[in-house]
Amino acid sequence: MKLRFLLPLLVIISACAGNRQQSIDYKQVKLADRPKNIILMIGDGMAMSQISAGIYWKGVGHSAFEHFPYVGFHKSYSCDNLVTDSAAGATAFSCGERTENNRIATLPDNRPCRTILESLEAKGWATGIVVTCSATHATPASFIAHQELRAFSEEIALDYLDTPFDCYIGGGKGYFNQRPDKRNLLDSLRKRGYVVHTGFNFNSLPLDGSKPFALFTYDREPPTASAGRKYLPKATSVACNFLDKRSEKGFFLMVEGSQIDWAGHANDRNWLRAEMLDFDKTVQAALDFAARDGETLVIVTGDHECGGAALTKGENKREPHVKFTSRLHTGAMVPVLAFGPGAEKFSGIYDNKAIFLKMQEALISQQ
Ligand code: MG
Ligand code: ZN
């Protein structure tokens, strides 16, 4: 009974309506001994400078990032490069293995490595993926597919038929129904019992947990947050509540702010600002669920830094002025923020692949 984890005075209704994140004292939330659920949130290309700028853009004291009681750093390199790409970076989190850049949950000898999503799904957990890119993009793919190269988008889409999952919200519908092989993988998913929809009508989904679903928000890559894309925070809440109903054992949800990285490659600080503010709201949505639930471990990190971003003095002395030194990823360590039962395991400096092991350890008594 989850209510027993709720302190009676946990939510102090603020006199200032609408400032909800200020009304919860996250240090006072009563937590279970071990997590039942894990929400792994990846800001692609998000490291110290992106998080710093995000906090300053949001306004100090108002950012969801400031609520995390435990902070660590991971060393983001891949097995063949100090500077990882998102495929090897996500494979380190999903499999606990360092692999070569461009590999999707496969080892350097091309053997597939089992992902945390696959192993928990097989043990009866509910699993989900919520992203602002295509389903076939490197980060989500590394949790569900096994391919030698991240560029094999058509094959990655096929892998969604081999690995059971409970919910997907994100772009990339075209990889499933506008294919060179003429197959319609949306129909294949429907035959496997999935509710498959397009758009943003969350109420049309089986929110009671009765059926698995895939909600495709766009045909290919979703637009930027500054161009009006705003489904990620709501999709994260919907996925948490759905997955919670879907299995008694617990759930694993991977949420990605996919385009923080793209803003870095483009050296576009306005794009970065919009993506960081969107991801901040998304992190808040996950924290809201976790604080109510008491049995959910929330981990927020990036796979690598992107853009060699620095905060320099701008014309407006109170505004962060982001300067980029590269159009590529860099090798800087990446912050890891954790809240919930097991969060203390995430302080310190460790390998990116240790995040997988720490998630496994946190869940151990549940398995
Ligand atoms: Mg990504
Ligand atoms: Zn990138």
Side-chain angles (χ1 to χ4, degrees):
M1 182 61 193
K2 285 169 185 165
L3 283 176
R4 77 192 154 91
F5 295 117
L6 210 63
L7 278 183
L9 292 177
L10 171 66
V11 179
I12 303 156
I13 303 302
S14 164
C16 306
N19 211 359
R20 204 163 155 223
Q21 70 267 38
Q22 295 306 299
S23 64
I24 298 177
D25 183 349
Y26 288 88
K27 291 194 183 74
Q28 296 299 316
V29 175
K30 183 93 171 94
L31 300 171
D33 293 335
R34 285 184 183 276
K36 195 173 141 188
N37 314 314
I38 292 184
I39 308 171
L40 175 61
M41 311 188 75
I42 303 172
D44 197 312
M46 182 187 80
M48 188 62 110
S49 292
Q50 289 79 5
I51 294 174
S52 308
I55 289 172
Y56 300 139
W57 278 322
K58 179 87 181 182
V60 172
H62 295 277
S63 168
F65 288 93
E66 293 177 84
H67 296 313
F68 287 81
Y70 294 97
V71 179
F73 289 90
H74 77 73
K75 293 170 282 180
S76 64
Y77 51 89
S78 64
C79 85
D80 63 341
N81 205 313
L82 179 70
V83 179
T84 190
D85 82 319
S86 296
T91 298
F93 300 156
S94 68
C95 291
E97 300 278 0
R98 273 209 167 111
T99 195
E100 296 162 346
N101 285 0
N102 294 310
R103 285 193 170 277
I104 301 290
T106 53
L107 301 172
D109 64 5
N110 211 26
R111 274 180 304 135
C113 54
R114 197 163 203 222
T115 74
I116 187 167
L117 185 149
E118 290 171 314
S119 63
L120 289 178
E121 178 75 34
K123 287 174 184 154
W125 264 251
T127 61
I129 289 178
V130 177
V131 293
T132 51
C133 59
S134 288
T136 52
H137 218 274
T139 311
S142 298
F143 285 81
I144 210 158
H146 302 278
Q147 294 295 336
E148 189 177 348
L149 291 176
R150 57 185 290 170
F152 294 166
S153 303
E154 314 296 336
E155 290 81 0
I156 290 168
L158 276 170
D159 283 351
Y160 274 74
L161 303 179
D162 291 337
T163 300
F165 62 94
D166 293 280
C167 76
Y168 170 76
I169 304 175
K173 188 172 86 163
Y175 294 105
F176 290 75
N177 70 347
Q178 297 158 33
R179 299 170 52 83
D181 64 7
K182 307 285 183 221
R183 289 182 65 178
N184 186 333
L185 307 187
L186 303 182
D187 286 345
S188 307
L189 283 171
R190 288 189 183 104
K191 280 190 194 125
R192 283 161 169 76
Y194 285 82
V195 171
V196 180
H197 285 326
T198 303
F200 310 96
N201 186 357
F202 297 117
N203 291 327
S204 69
L205 299 170
L207 299 179
D208 60 358
S210 57
K211 286 180 181 168
F213 73 82
L215 179 67
F216 288 95
T217 52
Y218 291 89
D219 256 7
R220 300 285 171 181
E221 304 306 337
T224 64
S226 37
R229 187 207 74 233
K230 51 183 171 212
Y231 67 82
L232 192 66
K234 175 74 177 170
T236 299
S237 296
V238 164
C240 289
N241 288 304
F242 165 81
L243 293 169
D244 196 35
K245 293 195 183 96
R246 183 90 182 128
S247 169
E248 281 291 303
K249 282 200 161 177
F251 70 76
F252 173 80
L253 173 65
M254 194 285 285
V255 178
E256 188 196 20
S258 317
Q259 299 195 25
I260 297 166
D261 180 67
W262 306 352
H265 285 295
N267 286 190
D268 185 330
R269 66 175 76 96
N270 291 325
W271 186 359
L272 179 65
R273 181 180 193 274
E275 295 299 338
M276 284 307 301
L277 292 175
D278 184 60
F279 198 54
D280 199 306
K281 268 191 210 161
T282 308
V283 170
Q284 188 62 54
L287 275 180
D288 282 349
F289 176 87
R292 279 197 307 276
D293 177 74
E295 298 178 283
T296 302
L297 170 61
V298 183
I299 304 146
V300 180
T301 189
D303 47 359
H304 51 73
E305 202 277 335
C306 182
L311 303 196
T312 61
K313 245 181 170 176
E315 278 170 32
N316 181 341
K317 289 182 184 155
R318 301 180 71 90
E319 273 274 307
H321 183 80
V322 178
K323 249 192 182 166
F324 297 95
T325 61
S326 164
R327 289 200 174 259
L328 301 173
H329 301 170
T330 74
M333 287 197 296
V334 181
V336 184
L337 295 77
F339 170 85
E344 67 286 349
K345 295 179 190 300
F346 291 84
S347 43
I349 293 177
Y350 40 83
D351 289 345
N352 51 1
K353 67 180 186 178
I355 289 176
F356 169 90
L357 299 171
K358 289 170 190 294
M359 292 191 291
Q360 294 278 32
E361 277 171 31
L363 283 173
I364 219 145
S365 73
Q366 297 281 340
Q367 293 187 41

